[in-house]
């Protein structure tokens, strides 16, 4: 399986280094100590600590030192890990929805199938109408194509052999040769697009999430009349994906 590291992955890896260092200092670690032990520059460390505090992974105590936060303690607790993780991811998705002004989706490739595991939508950010099950329309969706780009060639062919590439709109790719060629040439740091390939009147973009062996992605959908916002929305999604990657990694 081929998974190319992306910017959110590197941010999450740096954040993990900070968390591991904080965890080794129950009485608290100052930013000076964290910089020395992690080797991170001041600007980089400050940005990571800001994100970790916002996400509840670290807390700052009276003397300015950092200690493990409540969210991290709850996620690493065996008895409510899954529920806490799901709640944490939902809060992150809700914040991303409000930031980009569009519905946001978290998807995973699990047991050989495309699955939208969570999403955040609302009256001002409507979700796409799933008129064809996402499991059977990977060839036509930004979500599906983003997940397929993270598989190796044989895994992609296996998926397509199990799911007929039906024509959903006039823009849908139905040639497995053409689709495989496009997936192969897709740069890992460039959002995958769906420009009315799944549904007329809807455009989507997806960015990969690299978290260990996880094959996942974050996606955004917009009505066609807001297509001019798609590129910026995808860039915002990519810049703010690190907390999601971190949650999936812990």
């Amino acid at each position: 399986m081929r998974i190319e590291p992306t910017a959110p992955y590197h941010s999450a890896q740096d954040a993990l280094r900070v968390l591991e260092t904080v965890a080794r200092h129950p009485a608290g670690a100052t930013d000076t100590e964290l910089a020395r032990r992690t080797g991170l520059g001041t600007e980089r460390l400050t940005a990571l600590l800001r994100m970790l505090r916002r996400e509840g992974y670290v807390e700052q105590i009276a003397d300015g030192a950092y200690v493990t936060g409540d969210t991290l303690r709850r996620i690493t607790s065996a008895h409510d890990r899954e529920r806490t993780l799901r709640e944490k991811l939902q809060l992150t998705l809700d914040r991303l929805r409000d930031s980009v002004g569009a519905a946001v989706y978290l998807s995973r490739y699990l047991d050989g199938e495309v699955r939208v595991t969570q999403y955040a939508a609302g009256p001002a950010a409507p979700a796409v109408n799933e008129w064809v099950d996402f499991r059977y329309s990977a060839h036509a969706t930004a979500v599906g194509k983003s997940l397929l780009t993270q598989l190796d060639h044989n895994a992609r062919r296996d998926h397509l052999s199990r799911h007929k590439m039906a024509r959903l709109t006039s823009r849908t790719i139905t040639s497995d040769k053409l689709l495989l060629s496009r997936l192969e040439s897709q740069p890992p740091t460039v959002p995958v697009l769906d420009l009315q390939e799944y549904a007329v009147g809807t455009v989507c973009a997806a960015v990969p999430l690299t978290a260990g062996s996880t094959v996942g992605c974050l996606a955004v959908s917009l009505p066609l009349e807001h297509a001019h916002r798609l590129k910026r929305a995808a860039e915002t999604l990519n810049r703010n994906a690190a907390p999601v990657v971190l949650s999936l990694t812990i």
Side-chain angles (χ1 to χ4, degrees), residues 61-228:
I61 55 180
D63 64 357
Y66 293 89
V67 295
T68 300
D70 181 62
T71 297
L72 181 61
R73 290 192 293 270
R74 290 172 58 204
I75 286 180
T76 54
S77 173
H79 70 279
D80 66 351
R81 170 183 164 77
E82 292 304 318
R83 178 177 61 83
T84 301
L85 178 58
R86 187 170 184 84
E87 290 173 353
K88 181 71 193 69
L89 286 169
Q90 192 60 51
L91 287 172
T92 303
L93 294 178
D94 290 346
R95 187 164 57 242
L96 282 171
R97 173 202 60 205
D98 296 341
S99 177
V100 302
V104 175
Y105 311 80
L106 172 61
S107 303
R108 308 276 295 279
Y109 195 75
L110 300 169
D111 301 321
E113 299 294 348
V114 171
R115 301 185 188 279
V116 175
T117 54
Q118 287 179 248
Y119 70 96
V128 65
N129 174 33
E130 189 179 353
W131 74 284
V132 176
D133 194 316
F134 290 140
R135 291 177 297 173
Y136 310 130
S137 53
H139 64 292
T141 65
V143 162
K145 289 185 288 183
S146 179
L147 295 176
L148 291 176
T149 61
Q150 298 175 63
L151 306 180
D152 61 29
H153 183 77
N154 289 337
R156 292 172 191 158
R157 292 200 68 90
D158 173 72
H159 182 91
L160 296 178
S161 72
R162 292 183 286 107
H163 298 294
K164 177 179 172 56
M165 294 174 59
R167 184 175 298 281
L168 306 183
T169 76
S170 62
R171 294 174 176 262
T172 306
I173 296 174
T174 57
S175 162
D176 59 350
K177 183 177 180 180
L178 176 58
L179 180 64
L180 288 168
S181 174
R182 291 194 178 179
L183 293 176
E184 187 65 35
S185 61
Q186 173 71 28
T189 56
V190 176
V192 179
L193 303 180
D194 157 18
L195 304 177
Q196 300 191 90
E197 295 172 55
Y198 174 76
V200 174
T202 300
V203 294
C204 305
V207 296
L209 295 178
T210 305
S213 60
T214 295
V215 174
C217 71
L218 274 176
V220 61
S221 67
L222 287 165
L224 181 60
E225 58 266 30
H226 293 288
H228 61 282

